[in-house]
Amino acid sequence: MTPPLHLSLAGQAVDVLRELVLTGEIPAGSRVNEVEVAQRLGISRGPLREAIRHLASERLLTLVPHRGAFVPAADDGDVRALFELRTALECAAAELAASRHTDGDLVRLREVCEESRRGYRAGQPFPYRLDLAFHQALLDAARSPHIAEQVRLVQQRVVLLRSALEDDPQHQQASMDDHDELVKAIGDGDAARASTVMRRHLSRVCAQMLTSLNR
């Protein structure tokens, strides 16, 4: 059954607005200009407000009474708390992926790694979509929908915080190396190694974000 038009429009608005927020096009700390965004999407403010409420439920936006919706800004406490949760979830997922993966999962993980390196060699910034694609492929290999759903929400908030920070080519290279090592551990069926690499990877990402945030 086709959903009502206003729900369909709101769903489209959620996807576009999420992209604007996660890429930093609407910067951290900024208010969402409903008139401007509605005009840009070619929709009324009703579906847009539904989309805003949805993203607020994912904590990608903060609703301030009588002022509107804002993109939240990060502080050290936010970063540390998010990475504590992300580490617990993704280390478990890495262990499960090592024992539950298929050949197709490994192919997908390697494809994302190679696409990331091609972009890096071409001088492109490491795009959040490929980082998310790698971690999503790992979650797919873990075959744990409940972990995957919680990780998706945490990852989005990490991407949001990172959107306001400068790219670091050395950090990008290290992340790609970590991804390659994770694929090897998963392919070898080494759950302990996969968890160790994931923990080290996320610890370094957290430290890099904190350093960049406090410059």
Side-chain angles (χ1 to χ4, degrees), residues 63-77:
L63 298 179
V64 180
H66 311 300
R67 294 186 60 201
F70 289 77
V71 179
D75 61 29
D76 288 10

Side-chain angles (χ1 to χ4, degrees), residues 123-182:
Q124 300 169 1
F126 189 52
Y128 83 87
R129 68 174 183 83
L130 287 177
D131 190 41
L132 289 181
F134 177 85
H135 287 271
Q136 182 59 56
L138 187 149
L139 290 167
D140 290 343
R143 304 285 187 286
S144 178
H146 293 297
I147 290 179
E149 176 60 19
Q150 294 307 309
V151 169
R152 184 185 71 82
L153 295 174
V154 175
Q155 283 176 334
Q156 283 191 151
R157 293 174 61 203
V158 171
V159 169
L160 169 63
L161 301 186
R162 291 177 74 174
S163 69
L165 306 178
E166 294 182 0
D167 289 319
D168 181 343
Q170 186 174 358
H171 170 71
Q172 294 168 19
Q173 179 68 62
S175 287
M176 290 186 293
D177 291 344
D178 288 344
H179 287 180
D180 287 342
E181 195 170 349
L182 273 166

